[in-house]
Amino acid sequence: MNFTSLSERTPALEIAGLHKRFDRPAVNGFDLAVRAGEFYALLGPNGAGKTTILRMVAGLLRPDAGAIRIFGVDALADPVAAKQVVAWVSDEPMIYDKLTPFEYLEFVAGLWGVDAAAAAARARDLIDWLGLTGHAHERCEGFSKGMRQKVALAGALVHDPKLIVLDEPLTGLDAGSARQVKEVLRARVRAGGAVVMTTHILEVAERMADRIGVIAAGRLIAHGTLEELRERAGSGQASLEDAFLALVAEEAAA
Amino acid sequence: MSAPGTIAWLARHELRLAWRDWRSMLTAGRRRHGRIIVAILAIFALFMHGVAFAMLPRQFAARAIDKATLLVVTGCMVLSFSLLLSQSLESVTRAFYARFDLDLILSSPVLARRVFTVRIATVALSLAAMAALLAAPFIDVLLLRDGWRWLGAYAVVAAMGAAAAACAVAVTVALFRIIGARRTRFVAQIIAAVIGAVFVIVLQAAAIMSYGTMSRFAILQSDAVVTRAPEADSVLWWPARAVLGEPAAMAAVVAASLVLLTLAIMAFAPRFGEHVVAAAGASHAVARRQRPGAMRPASPAWALRHKEWTLLLRDPWLASQTLMQLLYLLPPALMLWRSFAEDIASLVLLVPVLVMAAGQLAGALAWLAISGEDAPDLVATAPVPAGRILRAKVEAVMGAVVIVFVPFLIALALAAPITALVAALGIVAAGAAATTIQLWFRAQAKRSHFRRRQTSSRLATFAEAFSSIAWAGTAALAAAGSWFAVVAGLIALAILAGVRLISPAPA
């Protein structure tokens, strides 16, 4: 599916003044705008609030304050409509051990109300694309972490989402599987979809992201292209890792 | 302090884990509850001793050891042994399939046969401890009334634990070799369920067919069986004589069971590592080819119901537990069949059995469907209102309960339509109440934690049990035509209201 017509005017994701507190503030006035057709990487040290933000975007947590709009839909006022176009993939693939990948995709398609024939065709494509053809009708209980993550990713794509939200999706994947996942995500962005992803693998963010956001203590402390971040950190031609560490250290010192 | 890697060292490690596991199970992981739990256990132990005191005949010890006594004692022993064997099969299967620390231990230079030796010995020990705890009140009362010779009964209980563990190892390894690792888990759990239930059921079935009563002992005490039983001096009665305090018989029984356990360990321990590795790779083995490429048109609610039913059908533990519940319903079913032409009034007795079973089954299924959701994020991010998701899950649970109980209700309706109607209403009420309680106490958990669901919320477990009992009582009174059913129904509703008051606020 091509989302370009949607992408021109409507931002894929707009977050404004987002707050969430557990024992202490986890997200503290977070703002973000991601365009359709954009790959956005969210970086930050452990405990910075990345996962909390993404879980609020996916509708898994309710913010204490702030606004989230997904392709123009107020996700807090109308979560069901917002969820229709979002897919969530976490670092720990949540699939059913006793279902086969094909049955899992059938279930996900049912949840999103996708037409059965279209879902079946898309499921076959995804299973082939992700190299799961030989395992499509085996129960997932014996699958490796990489295979489970691929099944979860196929589930996220089977309903053709416009916004894919991923929390550390490459954790534990081998090089081949990680490349397949990256290719799938790139293809979605080329088709006009938007991807927001957290990662600790800075090389992935450096290579794949159109823009990168750096978050610390629940706030966005810097964002922009790689060059803009380098400039902001005053680190010239240094790697993203150097720029990231400089920005986080600067924030900690402030 | 034993040297690392030795059997003694491994045994210490296993016992420490087992002790902490047991303590955590009793105190729900809260250390400060320790004293309260000890006090509750002490009160319970006193109560059980009182029950044993009342149940055991005062002149039991002085009675002559005749064939009828030996038959009853042997019957009790076979019953206990079948339950121990069932539990032992469960534990041994878990030793093969539950990974926990096995990957760590087996990747170390420790010999696999030592690990297995210790694990099987631990199974035997824990079974013996469990059986001894259950039998203790009765043995203690006999000790008080008839002297020290009854102390030997504890040794016999320990011997039964050892023998059960040995048999379970042999059965599990045999299954591994005959049907392979993949099917062993499922089949072993089914066998465990059947063994645990079959002896009671056969005795009850025989009693119903011959005497029209559900008492297990009726058949054992009948003249026909006593006449045909071996003479009192037969070696077959040695286990019973051991329990009754004969030193020679007791020594023989204890020695035989220890030899059996040692043989099992020596024969099967060396291949333990292979079986564990086979079990770990079991799920890779078979590819299921079904409906390639086709999907059914589905609404979100249908997709949720279908998913729940598929997972329930593929859950070996649940399948074995449900099978056991159904097996326990066989004697009442036989009673029903016998009563069809004779005494329709006795069918009223079936109503509480069916209602109670429905409540328990619904509670278990509701926990699996509502709390034991393995992909909560997926379901929560679907464009479906939360209420609709819960409704679909409840429908899946009630649908499964209906499928299980409809055949019994149809059979009952043929004999006594009004009684069947009352039973159906009771089943719906008990099932709905148990499901509602699980909804109120829902807490995210892994499906694989099903067996420990009671420890995560004891309140929910007790509430579910009390509610089922109350609805069973209500249905029984209603079926008997008593107006007290109204009072019992109000009590059942009051229990539900009370549970609502103490249930945690929805997240």
Side-chain angles (χ1 to χ4, degrees):
Chain A
M1 183 170 176
N2 194 308
F3 305 120
T4 317
S5 54
L6 280 166
S7 69
E8 301 302 331
R9 288 177 297 276
T10 316
L13 174 66
E14 294 169 275
I15 300 176
L18 204 63
H19 282 81
K20 182 71 189 176
R21 185 186 176 89
F22 297 112
D23 294 336
R24 56 186 178 78
V27 179
N28 195 10
F30 182 82
D31 300 302
L32 179 71
V34 178
R35 294 184 292 269
E38 185 177 33
F39 194 120
Y40 195 96
L42 205 53
L43 310 181
N46 292 334
K50 305 182 294 294
T51 301
T52 305
I53 291 166
L54 294 196
R55 290 181 72 82
M56 287 191 278
V57 171
L60 295 169
L61 270 178
R62 199 160 175 85
D64 296 335
I68 300 171
R69 295 183 78 81
I70 297 169
F71 283 97
V73 176
D74 185 336
L76 303 179
D78 191 355
V80 171
K83 286 174 180 180
Q84 193 70 51
V85 295
V86 180
W88 158 254
V89 180
S90 74
D91 60 336
E92 193 55 52
M94 287 189 167
I95 58 174
Y96 301 97
D97 284 350
K98 302 285 180 195
L99 294 187
T100 69
F102 196 82
E103 288 170 336
Y104 176 76
L105 297 184
E106 184 179 30
F107 170 60
V108 178
L111 279 182
W112 262 262
V114 183
D115 170 69
R122 209 174 289 150
R124 278 194 298 271
D125 289 347
L126 286 166
I127 282 170
D128 287 344
W129 201 6
L130 290 165
L132 291 168
T133 313
H135 306 283
H137 300 283
E138 278 176 32
R139 291 186 194 169
C140 299
E141 53 201 343
F143 284 11
S144 67
K145 168 83 190 276
M147 286 165 73
R148 296 170 76 86
Q149 190 65 301
K150 285 181 191 175
V151 174
L153 188 67
L157 297 175
V158 78
H159 55 90
D160 209 13
K162 295 175 194 164
L163 172 65
I164 307 176
V165 182
L166 307 102
D167 188 21
E168 299 283 354
L170 305 179
T171 306
L173 293 191
D174 62 45
S177 302
R179 173 173 282 186
Q180 276 175 323
V181 171
K182 285 186 275 187
E183 281 170 4
V184 168
L185 296 177
R186 271 200 205 100
R188 301 302 297 181
V189 171
R190 277 198 302 273
V195 171
V196 179
M197 182 175 95
T198 67
T199 181
H200 283 296
I201 310 170
L202 299 187
E203 190 200 347
V204 171
E206 196 169 345
R207 286 191 179 189
M208 293 183 69
D210 300 307
R211 284 191 304 147
I212 298 164
V214 179
I215 177 172
R219 289 189 306 110
L220 195 64
I221 57 170
H223 70 114
T225 61
L226 179 58
E227 286 68 35
E228 287 167 345
L229 284 183
R230 282 176 179 152
E231 200 173 307
R232 163 88 168 72
S235 50
Q237 289 305 303
S239 66
L240 174 61
E241 186 179 352
D242 295 325
F244 169 73
L245 291 174
L247 287 165
V248 172
E250 184 186 309
E251 176 66 16
Chain B
M1 191 85 168
S2 45
T6 58
I7 286 182
W9 182 82
L10 283 167
R12 190 170 154 267
H13 170 71
E14 290 289 328
L15 287 174
R16 184 174 57 186
L17 291 181
W19 165 245
R20 288 185 183 175
D21 207 26
W22 190 75
R23 198 175 59 180
S24 162
M25 201 172 75
L26 281 178
T27 61
R30 290 174 194 146
R31 282 188 156 201
R32 62 200 166 90
H33 286 186
R35 282 184 189 171
I36 300 169
I37 297 294
V38 168
I40 291 171
L41 284 178
I43 293 167
F44 183 68
L46 272 174
F47 172 74
M48 285 309 295
H49 277 79
V51 170
F53 197 81
M55 276 179 71
L56 286 172
R58 288 194 180 279
Q59 300 307 315
F60 184 84
R63 275 165 60 172
I65 301 179
D66 55 8
K67 280 204 310 188
T69 306
L70 289 169
L71 262 168
V72 170
V73 173
T74 305
C76 289
M77 288 183 77
V78 175
L79 171 62
S80 310
F81 186 76
S82 66
L83 295 173
L84 282 175
L85 185 58
S86 168
Q87 185 60 40
S88 188
L89 267 168
E90 258 299 308
S91 306
V92 173
T93 313
R94 237 180 298 145
F96 283 126
Y97 286 93
R99 305 306 297 167
F100 300 124
D101 55 352
L102 270 183
D103 287 350
L104 170 71
I105 293 173
L106 291 178
S107 64
S108 75
V110 173
L111 292 175
R113 68 179 159 77
R114 285 187 189 166
V115 179
F116 190 52
T117 301
V118 170
R119 294 229 155 160
I120 294 306
T122 310
V123 169
L125 203 65
S126 50
L127 282 172
M130 186 183 78
L133 274 173
L134 292 174
F138 298 91
I139 298 174
D140 291 348
V141 169
L142 289 168
L143 265 168
L144 273 173
R145 284 184 181 167
D146 197 39
W148 293 105
R149 70 188 182 108
W150 285 99
L151 207 56
Y154 279 113
V156 178
V157 167
M160 284 168 66
C167 293
V169 173
V171 169
T172 311
V173 172
L175 284 174
F176 253 85
R177 292 186 183 162
I178 296 166
I179 58 172
R182 185 184 167 81
R183 291 190 189 91
T184 293
R185 185 181 203 175
F186 180 70
V187 174
Q189 282 179 331
I190 296 291
I191 290 176
V194 171
I195 285 175
V198 84
F199 184 70
V200 182
I201 290 161
V202 167
L203 280 184
Q204 278 187 334
I208 289 165
M209 298 307 289
S210 311
Y211 304 99
T213 167
M214 284 179 71
S215 166
R216 284 157 220 163
F217 295 112
I219 198 85
L220 291 176
Q221 291 171 319
S222 66
D223 288 340
V225 172
V226 172
T227 314
R228 288 190 180 90
E231 288 309 311
D233 56 357
S234 167
V235 74
L236 286 173
W237 302 124
W238 276 28
R241 287 185 178 281
V243 168
L244 292 168
E246 284 190 13
M250 190 173 66
V253 167
V254 170
S257 60
L258 287 179
V259 167
L260 203 61
L261 181 65
T262 310
L263 283 177
I265 289 173
M266 284 170 64
F268 303 119
R271 299 194 65 187
F272 174 61
E274 287 172 39
H275 293 312
V276 168
V277 170
S283 29
H284 294 282
V286 180
R288 291 172 161 247
R289 301 238 162 245
Q290 50 190 18
R291 299 188 295 107
M295 283 186 184
R296 296 189 193 95
S299 66
W302 189 93
L304 277 161
R305 284 196 301 269
H306 183 253
K307 186 266 287 183
E308 292 304 337
W309 286 330
T310 307
L311 294 181
L312 292 177
L313 281 172
R314 292 179 186 176
D315 191 323
W317 170 255
L318 183 70
S320 63
Q321 292 304 297
T322 311
L323 178 70
M324 196 155 75
Q325 280 186 329
L326 291 178
L327 284 174
Y328 278 117
L329 286 176
L330 280 181
L334 266 175
M335 186 96 176
L336 175 72
W337 176 68
R338 261 185 68 89
S339 305
F340 187 73
E342 296 167 15
D343 180 16
I344 286 178
S346 67
L347 293 178
V348 169
L349 293 173
L350 288 179
V351 175
V353 177
L354 290 170
V355 173
M356 183 77 196
Q360 293 296 296
L361 182 65
L365 298 183
W367 185 92
L368 280 167
I370 296 162
S371 293
E373 169 62 64
D374 276 346
D377 282 5
L378 172 74
V379 175
T381 54
V384 186
R388 206 166 148 208
I389 290 172
L390 282 178
R391 203 172 67 208
K393 290 189 169 218
V394 169
E395 285 166 4
V397 170
M398 294 309 284
V401 172
V402 166
I403 288 167
V404 169
F405 287 95
V406 155
F408 291 99
L409 290 174
I410 291 173
L412 191 56
L414 291 173
I418 301 295
T419 309
L421 181 66
V422 172
L425 291 173
I427 285 170
V428 170
T435 308
T436 307
I437 290 167
Q438 285 300 330
L439 266 175
W440 289 338
F441 282 86
R442 65 182 180 272
Q444 198 51 58
K446 295 288 285 180
R447 203 177 180 85
S448 53
H449 294 168
F450 175 59
R451 264 177 282 193
R452 292 183 157 228
R453 74 188 176 100
Q454 284 92 344
T455 57
S456 61
S457 177
R458 283 196 182 73
L459 217 51
T461 307
F462 284 127
E464 204 183 291
F466 285 137
S467 167
S468 295
I469 291 167
W471 285 116
T474 305
L477 288 167
S482 167
W483 281 103
F484 281 113
V486 177
V487 178
L490 288 173
I491 291 172
L493 288 172
I495 288 173
L496 215 53
V499 172
R500 181 65 185 123
L501 285 176
I502 55 172
S503 64

